[in-house]
Structure formats: structure tokens, C-alpha cells
Amino acid sequence: MQSVTVTDLHGNILLYELLFRVADLWKLTSIFITGDLAPNSLRGPLKGAETCTGEDQGVILQREFFVEQFIPLCSSFLLDHRQADVYVIMGNDDRRANESLLEGFDKEAPNFHLLNDRLVALRDSHQKQAFFPGEVPLLWVAGYPYVPPGGHLLMDWVKYENRVKLRPMGMDSTMDIYEMGVTTDARGHLSTIADDLEDFETYLRKSARTDEEIPYNPAQTIYLFHAPPYNTPLDWTTPRGRYDYLPLSDHVGSVEIRRFIERVQPYLALSGHCHESVVTGDYKVDLGRTRCVNPGSQTHLDVLSLVQFDLYHPEEMKQFFIHAR
């Protein structure tokens, strides 16, 4: 089983170092990270606090993480492991103002792939096809980092599910989520998740990040979503009680992502966002023919939650919890 997926490491450098040690030991060829790469920018001591606004502090904090820790660590690993590829998307806790840093690293490192609104070839499958024609399927990887509105304040990677524009419980119905939260880049706010996924191929082409000659076939595509599909073991959070005598749902994933998966039946769907699923739910579920996965996150315990799987037989997978200390 030559691949792993992890999520929501939130800038815990101990877990990134452990992930790459595991990748070296297990001789992995494909590493998938499904969002929330950087430290939570609304907590902890922030450099330059006396001269910057709260929003600027968060951008600076995460920029320093990417420049001083994440990119050098990834670069060192990938230079020594030319056979390995790292595929990532950003998540709702990542400031989009720093996306250009990862785009620059993507251009410099041939085996690092930033997949925000993008489709790329899965290098392992194409290399194996070149040497062993017909032995494995040709596969591609697509990324979609957006999540529906919830209890978070950062809005860079948040979109309404659909035109109904449902808001979180307790929010003033006359207010817009983007007015209430923090935004560093509003490029994604003009459409809904339903709009994007209705014709996902057109959406990817319009983003101008996907090469025109790359074919699009959901049955041969691994999707990286930050939000898991709604009402599954993957989006089960801790019980949230009631609001004005109405029970709050314990599921916080995306309805439209679930509809998309059920409609097009992708090869594989990897997600994150809901840390607790690893405890309150499960790390895998099948929606029709599609295996969906959320490895969960135990970052606060310095525990790496990962799922190891076979790229060409995705039903073969195992969950691991590895302590970094």
C-alpha cells in the first residue's frame, strides 16, 4: 500500500516531520494532505502584533510557517525521494493570501502539487503505465478546498452550499457570512458549492490552473475535498445540543459534495475538516461505488492520524495512529 492521506495538521511541525519519516520508512509514492496546513491564525502569540491588524497578523504567522518550516521540510524530503509526490489542498483555516507561496513551490518542485481548483495527473500511475502497459489504471487528482458555512471566522475557503444561502444557527438572517468573517482573498465568493460541482470540468478549466490537454473522467479521478460528504461517519462531530429548542445536527459536512459523489461516482474521495470523525464516526464509508475517507485529526495530542491505502485497489486500506513523541 504505497499511499497515505492525512489532514488538518494545523502547522504541527512534529507531525509533518513524522509524516515524512513514515513516508521514507514505508517507501510511499503518493502523499495526500487534504487541507488546514498552517497553524490556526486566530490563536497564540503573533509576531508584529503591535504594528499589524488582527487580520494581517494571521497572514504573517502562516506565511512564516510556510516559508520557514513547511516548504523547506517538503523540499528536503522531495529532493531525497524523487519517486514520491505530495498532493495538497488548503483548508478553511489557511489564509488564501499565502496561496501564492505554495503556487511558487509547486512550480519549483516537480513532485509537489498544489491542487486548489486544479486537476493533475497522478504521477505514480502514469509512470507504471509507461513501463507496464495495462497493469494499472491511469489516474488523475483533483482538488476542491471549499467548505460550507459553519462556526469558523475565516472566509477565504467558505462558500454557501447553494442559492438558498443557509446561514449558521443564531446568525442574523440579514447579514452575509462574508461580512461577519475575515477574508484575505474573495475570489471564491461569487459562486456556490452547487454551482462549482454541477459541471466540475468546466469549473476546473475556468480556473486556468488545469492544462487543457488533461482529460477529465471522474471514474479515474481521486478527489481531494476539505469538507467531507454530509451525514456520513466522516462528518460526525461532537454532539452540539439544541438551539431555541431545535436539535442541532451532529453532521457538519457538505450536502452538495455528497450529491456530487453520489452522482458522478469518483474513483476515490479524500477529505478532512472534521477532526472528531476518527472518534465519533469512522475513517471510511462507501457511497455507491466510491470509497470516501477522512483520516481525522489528533493534532492537539501530537498524534498523527493517517490512512494507508493501495492506489489501485482503494478498498484495501488501514488506519494508523502514531505518536510523535
Side-chain angles (χ1 to χ4, degrees):
M1 295 194 286
Q2 69 285 71
S3 306
V4 296
T5 181
V6 300
T7 190
D8 293 75
L9 298 186
H10 288 283
N12 188 324
I13 199 64
L14 289 176
L15 297 188
Y16 280 109
E17 291 170 347
L18 178 58
L19 171 63
F20 290 130
R21 288 202 301 272
V22 168
D24 175 66
L25 181 65
W26 292 356
K27 301 188 185 324
L28 299 177
T29 60
S30 301
I31 300 164
F32 303 93
I33 309 177
T34 58
D36 281 355
L37 310 172
N40 187 312
S41 60
L42 299 179
R43 298 178 185 171
L46 303 175
K47 297 181 181 179
E50 62 281 346
T51 58
C52 299
T53 66
E55 181 179 352
D56 290 336
Q57 293 172 40
V59 173
I60 291 170
L61 174 73
Q62 293 195 349
R63 181 182 301 129
E64 290 175 345
F65 167 73
F66 285 128
V67 171
E68 298 174 9
Q69 295 183 302
F70 180 80
I71 290 176
L73 182 63
C74 281
S75 179
S76 177
F77 171 79
L78 292 173
L79 283 172
D80 289 337
H81 299 79
R82 302 283 182 160
Q83 84 290 351
D85 286 78
V86 175
Y87 303 87
V88 309
I89 57 172
M90 300 178 84
N92 63 290
D93 263 358
D94 296 323
R95 303 297 187 99
R96 191 168 187 173
N98 292 321
E99 183 183 26
S100 59
L101 295 172
L102 298 181
E103 290 176 327
F105 182 46
D106 178 289
K107 291 180 173 62
E108 295 174 0
N111 44 350
F112 177 85
H113 314 277
L114 179 65
L115 294 178
N116 297 340
D117 301 334
R118 187 182 177 201
L119 175 72
V120 301
L122 182 77
R123 194 164 67 105
D124 184 85
S125 71
H126 288 251
Q127 287 180 331
K128 285 184 168 61
Q129 272 275 344
F131 288 98
F132 308 103
E135 292 293 320
V136 300
L138 283 176
L139 298 174
W140 286 263
V141 193
Y144 188 77
Y146 298 95
V147 303
H152 27 77
L153 293 174
L154 302 180
M155 293 292 138
D156 288 347
W157 301 107
V158 176
K159 290 192 179 190
Y160 287 110
E161 285 269 35
N162 47 51
R163 295 297 176 179
V164 176
K165 293 190 174 182
L166 289 178
R167 296 164 177 80
M169 280 286 192
M171 182 176 172
D172 187 335
S173 60
T174 64
M175 297 297 293
D176 186 89
I177 58 171
Y178 304 122
E179 297 175 14
M180 298 292 290
V182 175
T183 298
T184 65
D185 190 315
R187 275 178 289 171
H189 294 174
L190 298 179
S191 62
T192 67
I193 296 176
D195 293 334
D196 300 343
L197 298 183
E198 182 179 10
D199 185 352
F200 196 49
E201 180 177 10
T202 298
Y203 172 78
L204 290 171
R205 304 297 184 197
K206 284 169 58 179
S207 74
R209 297 182 176 189
T210 297
D211 293 339
E212 288 294 330
E213 65 270 16
I214 294 181
Y216 175 72
N217 181 354
Q220 294 175 265
T221 302
I222 298 170
Y223 290 81
L224 273 58
F225 296 112
H226 189 53
Y230 178 75
N231 197 23
T232 65
L234 311 185
D235 78 324
W236 210 340
T237 188
T238 52
R240 299 193 293 165
R242 294 174 175 268
Y243 176 79
D244 281 356
Y245 305 102
L246 294 175
L248 295 174
S249 174
D250 296 335
H251 295 275
V252 295
S254 170
V255 171
E256 297 299 338
I257 286 176
R258 174 167 183 159
R259 287 175 177 165
F260 172 78
I261 292 171
E262 291 176 335
R263 184 176 77 250
V264 308
Q265 293 289 273
Y267 184 82
L268 183 65
L270 308 177
S271 62
H273 191 43
C274 296
H275 299 199
E276 306 92 335
S277 67
V278 70
V279 175
T280 57
D282 201 352
Y283 72 91
K284 66 182 187 306
V285 68
D286 294 330
L287 296 178
R289 299 186 306 275
T290 300
R291 170 62 55 90
C292 305
V293 179
N294 176 6
S297 175
Q298 300 180 72
T299 303
H300 62 295
L301 300 175
D302 290 337
V303 172
L304 182 66
S305 300
L306 60 81
V307 174
Q308 184 186 21
F309 62 96
D310 186 336
L311 278 172
Y312 309 110
H313 301 279
E315 70 282 357
E316 297 181 11
M317 53 179 52
K318 294 180 180 179
Q319 172 98 60
F320 291 89
F321 306 125
I322 308 174
H323 206 291
R325 296 183 185 276

